[in-house]
């Protein structure tokens, strides 16, 4: 299947007609509203809805809003219906109500170069997991030694912590280096400083579309049905602040200063052909976590670093989402199993995605082995952790036969800490 929008048919285009990811955009100072990416264009969903070419199934309009939440909460039947309507309007040889309307087309199709992207949905709450086994083994070995790398519960439950929705930001937003308490191993008391060991974590983010009920557990299949789609997610981490504060309750300020996501939400429907199985279990999971079928996806992922003034970025790692030990549906199931209510717009971070080879390590903590093994960038500079002015870019795609389901990019540049004296 191809589109009459020719840019969508290029082999390496992230947004072919098979994808149709959702976002929120504006142009020329207008109010933000919902859009869909195809090729190098943004389809203005509010325009199509107003023209009567799209019906989401609700009693009111849902696409003239500055967030996808109203659409997401309509559920899977509405998601599938709108996808079918869009596909018919955009495919070559399909419905000509858009392609044949020379008055409507320039209103409904906006060049990406003219579109300003916003947060695609209002984040209700944010939970970050620690569900990549290789990452857990690597970090555990660095901090505690190989014999104590994995905590006793790790092979039985998806471990997570409740993060901050208030500092989730869209790609392109600069990130200010955090301040905080740190303590050197030989120091008697902590000190207050800018973070010196600033890191990335290459993750996927799961976007919850429909809510659950407080007090009611959900199955893995029900959890999968609740998921609207996925984004790239960079869980920025202040390793030195985290090392001092995380015991006994886990990350706090070290993770609360910023989390970046890509502007396009790739729907579960677009990824259906790329489902695959999670790795073989080392321990038998309790039955409530059993998967009824393939629940993870074959998605290639990369992280790049570009120092300020460098003419190109350096590839830091290339891994795959299928390295995750626990799927997003398992994570969501475990999150709700005690009665926790999940909401439309909840965001779940997968945990850092790393593979067995060093080239697949999804954080600088692993790539430099805790700062002991500096890496050399293509510019000739070396890094153990992120320096001011560095730009970090995540990207990813699922590779099909002659097309790819892409996520675009998740970009953030690090700015210096504020001048704050104590």
């Amino acid at each position: 299947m191809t589109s009459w929008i020719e840019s969508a048919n290029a082999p390496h285009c992230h947004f072919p007609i098979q994808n149709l990811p959702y976002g929120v955009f504006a142009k020329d100072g207008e109010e933000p509203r919902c859009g869909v990416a195809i090729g190098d264009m943004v389809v203005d969903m509010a325009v199509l809805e107003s023209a009567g070419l799209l019906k989401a199934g609700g009693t009111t309009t849902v696409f003239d809003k500055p967030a996808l939440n109203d659409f997401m909460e309509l559920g899977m039947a509405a998601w599938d219906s709108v996808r079918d309507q869009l596909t018919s309007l955009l495919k070559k040889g399909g419905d000509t109500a858009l392609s044949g309307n020379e008055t409507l087309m320039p209103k409904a199709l906006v060049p990406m170069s003219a579109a300003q992207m916003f947060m695609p949905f209002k984040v209700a709450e944010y939970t970050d997991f620690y569900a990549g086994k290789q990452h857990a083994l690597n970090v555990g070995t660095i901090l505690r030694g190989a014999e104590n790398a994995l905590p006793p519960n790790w092979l039985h439950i998806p471990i997570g912590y409740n993060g901050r929705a208030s500092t989730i930001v869209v790609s392109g937003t600069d990130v200010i280096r955090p301040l905080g308490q740190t303590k050197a191993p030989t120091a008697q008391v902590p000190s207050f400083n800018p973070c010196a060991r600033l890191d990335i974590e290459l993750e996927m983010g799961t976007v919850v579309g429909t809510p659950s009920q407080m007090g009611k557990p959900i199955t893995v299949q029900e959890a999968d049905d609740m998921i609207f789609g996925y984004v790239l997610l960079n869980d920025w981490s202040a390793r030195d602040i985290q090392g001092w504060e995380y015991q006994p309750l886990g990350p706090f300020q070290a993770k609360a200063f910023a989390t970046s996501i890509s502007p396009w939400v790739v729907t579960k429907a677009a990824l259906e052909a790329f489902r695959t199985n999670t790795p073989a279990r080392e321990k038998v999971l309790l039955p409530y976590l059993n998967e009824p079928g393939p629940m993870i996806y074959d998605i290639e992922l990369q992280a790049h670093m570009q120092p300020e003034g460098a003419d190109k970025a350096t590839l830091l790692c290339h891994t795959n989402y299928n390295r995750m030990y626990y799927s997003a549906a398992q994570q969501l199931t475990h999150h709700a199993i005690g009665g926790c209510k999940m909401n439309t717009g909840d965001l779940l971070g997968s945990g850092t995605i790393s593979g067995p080879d060093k080239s697949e390590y999804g954080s600088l903590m692993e790539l430099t082995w805790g700062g002991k093994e500096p890496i050399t960038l293509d510019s000739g500079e070396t890094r153990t952790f992120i320096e001011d002015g560095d730009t970090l870019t995540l990207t990813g795609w699922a590779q099909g036969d002659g097309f790819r389901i892409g996520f675009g990019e998740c970009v953030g540049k690090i700015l210096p800490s504020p001048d704050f004296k104590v």
Side-chain angles (χ1 to χ4, degrees), residues 255-313:
K255 299 280 194 173
F257 62 97
T259 301
S260 300
I261 65 170
S262 53
W264 298 108
V265 183
V266 176
T267 64
K268 191 176 54 182
L271 294 168
E272 195 63 30
F274 303 96
R275 284 185 183 263
T276 188
N277 293 307
T278 44
R281 302 298 169 193
E282 295 185 31
K283 303 284 186 181
V284 176
L285 298 176
L286 293 180
Y288 78 92
L289 286 172
N290 287 342
E291 297 169 297
M295 290 286 173
I296 202 76
Y297 299 94
D298 180 4
I299 300 172
E300 299 290 329
L301 296 166
Q302 295 181 346
H304 301 256
M305 174 186 280
Q306 185 167 358
E308 194 162 37
D311 59 0
K312 65 175 182 176

Side-chain angles (χ1 to χ4, degrees), residues 40-253:
D40 59 2
M41 306 296 285
V42 179
V43 180
D44 191 326
M45 298 292 280
V47 167
L48 294 187
E49 187 177 47
S50 176
L53 298 188
L54 280 182
K55 294 180 174 60
T59 57
T60 60
T61 57
V62 294
F63 294 122
D64 57 347
K65 309 291 194 300
L68 289 166
N69 297 56
D70 285 0
F71 174 53
M72 294 194 301
E73 68 183 9
L74 294 178
M76 192 182 301
W79 309 340
D80 290 344
S81 174
V82 170
R83 180 176 174 82
D84 289 343
Q85 294 171 60
L86 267 177
T87 300
S88 180
L89 288 169
L90 295 171
K91 74 178 180 181
K92 192 174 291 186
D95 187 338
T96 59
L98 177 58
S99 61
N101 189 328
E102 294 184 1
T103 301
L104 184 62
M105 249 203 300
K107 298 178 182 178
L109 295 177
V110 178
M112 281 194 181
S113 59
Q116 179 185 0
M117 301 307 299
F118 294 83
M119 280 290 295
F121 60 98
K122 179 176 173 54
V123 181
E125 298 187 61
Y126 170 55
T127 302
D128 190 38
F129 283 86
Y130 186 55
K133 187 185 175 193
Q134 188 64 55
H135 173 72
L137 282 172
N138 289 343
V139 172
T141 299
I142 292 169
L143 297 178
R144 297 181 296 274
E147 65 283 357
N148 296 308
L150 288 182
N153 58 356
W154 201 95
L155 293 172
H156 298 275
I157 60 172
I159 297 172
Y161 69 91
N162 289 311
R164 293 288 299 175
S166 61
T167 41
I168 309 292
V169 296
V170 73
S171 172
T173 305
D174 292 337
V175 174
I176 298 172
R177 182 179 296 272
L179 298 163
Q181 281 197 31
T182 61
K183 181 179 176 300
T186 57
Q188 296 299 310
V189 295
S191 58
F192 181 81
N193 305 289
C195 167
R197 293 163 66 88
L198 186 59
D199 202 357
I200 62 164
E201 290 193 345
L202 171 56
E203 302 191 20
M204 295 293 294
T206 304
V207 183
V208 176
T210 53
S212 66
Q213 297 178 28
M214 182 176 175
K216 182 181 178 181
I218 57 176
T219 66
V220 174
Q221 183 60 63
E222 288 170 334
D224 192 63
D225 292 343
M226 290 167 57
I227 295 171
F228 176 70
Y230 296 84
V231 293
L232 301 169
L233 187 148
N234 186 346
D235 178 29
W236 303 96
S237 300
R239 299 297 185 189
D240 45 356
I241 295 172
Q242 184 178 356
W244 170 236
E245 75 177 5
Y246 83 103
Q247 297 193 37
L249 295 181
F252 185 36
Q253 295 301 309

